[in-house]
Amino acid sequence: SVVVRRCSYCAQPDDSLQTLARGWHATWKELWSGNHPLESPDSLGLGQEISLGPVYATQEDDDLQHISTRFGVDVRDVLLWNPDLADSLAEANDYVLQPGQEICVIPVTCIYHARVTHPHWGPTFQSDSQDVL
């Protein structure tokens, strides 16, 4: 059997945190914040394991919308990071999550870039700025 570690990526030739971030709908800063041993976000060693984000264990009554809001991300991104949540079986079960189910999340680490709401902040705030090295 093949074991795939959730929220992990094995670096390929010419990968950088910036190229990974584009593919995973994150920023290079979000990925770098979870990979403290990296000396530079521009050079990754071939085969180097990169943490994409934390693994979240779902709680009773969690759903994709609640988790997305909690971590300041879009539901579509949660589905991208967890293809098993987006398959036809999950869709047939209305995307119901089980308590303790592990899912990958890449939380927004800067409130100004988060897609979050709060009663005191008014409508949903989302920045369109891009992080560039």
Side-chain angles (χ1 to χ4, degrees), residues 48-59:
Q48 184 173 9
E49 184 177 345
I50 304 300
S51 172
L52 299 172
V55 175
Y56 173 74
T58 59
Q59 307 296 310

Side-chain angles (χ1 to χ4, degrees), residues 117-128:
T117 59
H118 188 278
H120 301 290
W121 299 341
T124 301
F125 176 82
Q126 180 175 352
S127 172
D128 292 326

